[in-house]
Amino acid sequence: MHGRIATYRFTGDAHEIAHRAEEGMLPIFQAQQGFRAYSLVLTGDTVVSFSAWESADQADAASGAAAGWIADNLAGQIELLDVRVGEILLSTALGVRAPAGASA
């Protein structure tokens, strides 16, 4: 399983942005193959988006979907600072366990 982590700087009310993302971005992600989870985390003056996908390719594809929705719905309110995709090694919420004997 893979995660997509995107960090955004925002202006305005973060809770309103999250509500709009729940109504607009979440259904788009849910319609994509391999979707598992979506979360938004407020960290001071940034919002971190985390989504989980079955594969790295599906996580990468989510970047295009997110960019399109943001351009159409939140232009001028949020700015993408960073996006990364990586393997989820452990997640209690998603039932992912680190492989036994694996080293970092």
Side-chain angles (χ1 to χ4, degrees):
M1 189 171 315
H2 286 77
R4 176 186 177 272
I5 302 168
T7 305
Y8 299 91
R9 181 177 298 123
F10 69 93
T11 59
D13 181 357
H15 294 92
E16 176 60 25
I17 290 170
H19 178 72
R20 291 176 64 189
E22 181 179 18
E23 290 183 342
M25 187 72 258
L26 178 58
I28 292 169
F29 278 173
Q30 288 173 323
Q32 291 191 312
Q33 186 175 6
F35 173 79
R36 294 291 305 272
Y38 180 48
S39 299
L40 294 175
V41 179
L42 177 60
T43 61
D45 65 346
T46 62
V47 170
V48 177
S49 166
F50 172 78
S51 55
W53 303 86
E54 290 295 328
S55 74
D57 288 342
Q58 293 164 338
D60 283 331
S63 290
W69 184 82
I70 289 168
D72 291 343
N73 294 278
L74 294 175
Q77 286 188 277
I78 64 173
E79 171 192 1
L80 179 63
L81 300 176
D82 184 51
V83 65
R84 296 172 188 237
V85 171
E87 182 181 2
I88 299 172
L89 298 178
L90 173 68
S91 172
T92 58
L94 296 168
V96 176
R97 296 185 65 187
S103 60

